[in-house]
Amino acid sequence: MTNEVKNVPALRFPEYSEEWEVKKLGEIAIIKGRLGWKGLKNEEYIENGYAYLVAGRHIKNGVINWSSTDQINKYRYDESPEIALEQNDIIFSKDGSLGNPALIKSMNKPATINGTMMLVRVDTNKLNPHFFYQILLSSYFKRLIHLKVSGSSIPHLFQADMKAFSIKATNLSEQEKIGDFFSKLDRQIELEEQKLAKLEEQKKGYMQKIFSQELRFKDGNGNNYSEWIKTNLKFLVSYKNGKGYEKEVVQNGKYNIINLNSISTKGMLKDSGKYSDFEDITLKKNDLIMILSDVAKGNLIGKTAIIDQDDKYLLNQRVASLRIKDESTSNVLFIYYFINYFRQYFINMSTGMSQLNINKSTVEDFLIYLPYIEEQDKIGNFFSNLDKSIIKQLDKIELLKERKKGFLQKMFV
């Protein structure tokens, strides 16, 4: 019986078969960070400065938004030459929200990192930077982060942690192929996310033009519909508060309980994870639900979603339902998009200290400009079709990310 070779991935390029070696990062890379910028103040950040100052908040999905970074003068940049960024450097957050790496591919002017970041500059004769960047997205690095976060009030990665960080790596030739493979996959994801951002920006622009009435839909003869009517939401919908179902929550219940967790960040209805068999008045298809309460930031206040089917949901407390009174004069999709566009009204009207709330009168007094029903239908369907395109694009991105996750699990030891 031969000894089993352990340090080989489940999936690899066919021309490679040898076992991967365990290496300490400190032996094959320079690792740098700094604690502060010697009293650097906000007023020292300047427009069109000599150098970029990159923080974790400027990185999204491995891409640095250079236009959003702070900028500093040459004197400050020259203060710390050891963390001046070079092509193929890898940076990530070492304080607070650990991780979120980025690989430096190009810069149009000098750049450095702020005190919350760490820099890794690999020895390219021993470790491919694109390969190592993917390691920081794999379970290797996540396990290290988990150890540092667990039981720590202020998560922090020290340079010593990274120097002792054990990685498993193959020869440079296979590293390069793996790095190139994932770079192409990352680029595909990045392009799809750019398409998503463009769709969302288009929707934002159309909402501004349509709800300001700068852009109007026409009737069958090519003429504008009648003028929009100013009214209050209470004349269009029947308002109902939810109630507490905590005592009736059961596993695998018949009804899903609508609560503060029932609306996704994209405004889509989602499973709250709470269920009940309690026979109560259930929500109906095309009912609007609106969140009435949130913690201090108010990010949830006024968020709405549309119920997708009859008799599946119960309405929990701190959420209201808004049911159209007359479908011959009011289109639920139009009202949904109008409320979402002017949601800041509800945030501004919320009251409270640690918890913000809006009440029935705030919702019912909301001012709405109502077009003729045929124009409402066209506006509602137009934005609904845009949202379908956005959701389709989101699904495409999630599929690519799941595919990449699977490859990371199989192509690394």
Side-chain angles (χ1 to χ4, degrees), residues 29 377 380:
D377 293 343

PDB file of all heavy atoms in Angstrom, residues 29 377 380:
ATOM      1  N   ALA A  29       7.975  36.633   1.473  1.00  0.00           N
ATOM      2  CA  ALA A  29       7.316  37.912   1.207  1.00  0.00           C
ATOM      3  C   ALA A  29       7.747  38.958   2.216  1.00  0.00           C
ATOM      4  O   ALA A  29       8.138  38.639   3.346  1.00  0.00           O
ATOM      5  CB  ALA A  29       5.799  37.750   1.246  1.00  0.00           C
ATOM      6  N   ASP A 377     -49.973  52.402 -15.177  1.00  0.00           N
ATOM      7  CA  ASP A 377     -49.673  51.033 -15.618  1.00  0.00           C
ATOM      8  C   ASP A 377     -48.375  50.990 -16.415  1.00  0.00           C
ATOM      9  O   ASP A 377     -47.531  50.113 -16.206  1.00  0.00           O
ATOM     10  CB  ASP A 377     -50.821  50.491 -16.479  1.00  0.00           C
ATOM     11  CG  ASP A 377     -52.110  50.288 -15.693  1.00  0.00           C
ATOM     12  OD1 ASP A 377     -52.044  50.247 -14.449  1.00  0.00           O
ATOM     13  OD2 ASP A 377     -53.177  50.182 -16.331  1.00  0.00           O
ATOM     14  N   GLY A 380     -45.364  51.682 -14.025  1.00  0.00           N
ATOM     15  CA  GLY A 380     -45.120  50.533 -13.162  1.00  0.00           C
ATOM     16  C   GLY A 380     -44.495  49.375 -13.912  1.00  0.00           C
ATOM     17  O   GLY A 380     -43.528  48.753 -13.452  1.00  0.00           O
TER      18      GLY A 380
END
